[in-house]
Amino acid sequence: GGPAWKRAAIGAAPVEEAPSLASFALGLAPSAASDGALAETFAAAGAVLQQVFGTEGAALPFGSIIQGVHLDGSDLDLAFDVPGSSPDALEIGSNGKPDNTRQVAALRRVTSGLRGSRFRVIESRLYKHMKVPIIILGYRCPSGSEIEADFSVGTMFEGTQKGFTDRIVRRLLAHSPLALHMVRLVKVWAK
């Protein structure tokens, strides 16, 4: 046993070293194939939204993908606006409580427009009193991999575009690469 330098000094046979924490953290960066699958899923999501809502249908990515802390297998968080409606995600009903009727109707339109696409519905979270109803779709890439895409309605929250804070986080992490690797380590640990 002992460190590799000590084994070499006494002539012991080399033993595979466990990867260092640093090399393990560097290995958590998503592969080019994973990033390509995410880009393909994003393009397909935009195509579905345009099919359902017309030329104004567009997806806005946010979350770990925009922050740059995603891993292989990370999901794709997407928000979209319903053409002709307010981009604010949350509306307040006449009773003073959140009203997600518009969001639920739009998400149902998306699920009904999936025929002929590579998407399948994994889960629908469309409960009446949910602050942010979502549909979780799986996109089957030609390579065989599946990317999970979470769709929600509304690209604005309290006057700020979704993804804005993610872009700030990305800029901060660009100035501290060690923090980026630490975030990825925590994400793996949390799974």
Side-chain angles (χ1 to χ4, degrees):
W5 64 267
K6 190 173 183 180
R7 289 192 312 274
I10 61 172
V15 176
E16 276 298 311
E17 287 283 323
S20 70
L21 185 60
S23 64
F24 177 74
L26 286 172
L28 294 176
S31 66
S34 177
D35 279 346
L38 287 166
E40 183 180 329
T41 304
F42 177 69
V48 166
L49 291 173
Q50 285 195 350
Q51 177 184 328
V52 172
F53 297 107
T55 57
E56 293 181 42
L60 176 71
F62 65 98
S64 66
I65 304 290
I66 301 303
Q67 293 171 10
V69 298
H70 61 292
L71 307 169
D72 275 345
S74 285
D75 65 347
L76 179 59
D77 297 312
L78 300 170
F80 67 94
D81 291 326
V82 177
S85 295
S86 165
D88 286 320
L90 188 63
E91 294 178 359
I92 304 299
S94 59
N95 61 359
K97 293 185 178 182
D99 181 5
N100 66 13
T101 305
R102 180 180 61 87
Q103 290 94 333
V104 168
L107 291 167
R108 286 193 172 129
R109 282 180 67 187
V110 171
T111 58
S112 68
L114 295 177
R115 283 184 213 105
S117 75
R118 293 178 170 270
F119 283 103
R120 70 178 181 90
V121 177
I122 295 174
E123 184 179 353
S124 296
R125 298 179 188 167
L126 304 175
Y127 311 110
K128 178 68 180 160
H129 297 291
M130 286 188 79
K131 196 176 205 178
V132 182
I134 65 170
I135 53 174
I136 302 170
L137 306 178
Y139 179 78
R140 179 67 60 189
C141 298
S143 66
S145 64
E146 185 174 70
I147 300 294
E148 189 175 288
D150 301 348
F151 284 68
S152 61
V153 177
T155 58
M156 300 289 285
F157 182 73
E158 296 182 351
T160 303
Q161 185 182 51
K162 286 185 180 178
F164 178 75
T165 54
D166 298 320
R167 290 189 298 275
I168 291 172
V169 168
R170 184 182 193 106
R171 292 188 111 186
L172 291 172
L173 291 174
H175 292 288
S176 180
L178 291 176
L180 167 67
H181 299 303
M182 181 57 95
V183 170
R184 286 187 174 141
L185 285 169
V186 169
K187 287 178 67 115
V188 168
W189 171 80
K191 285 186 173 187

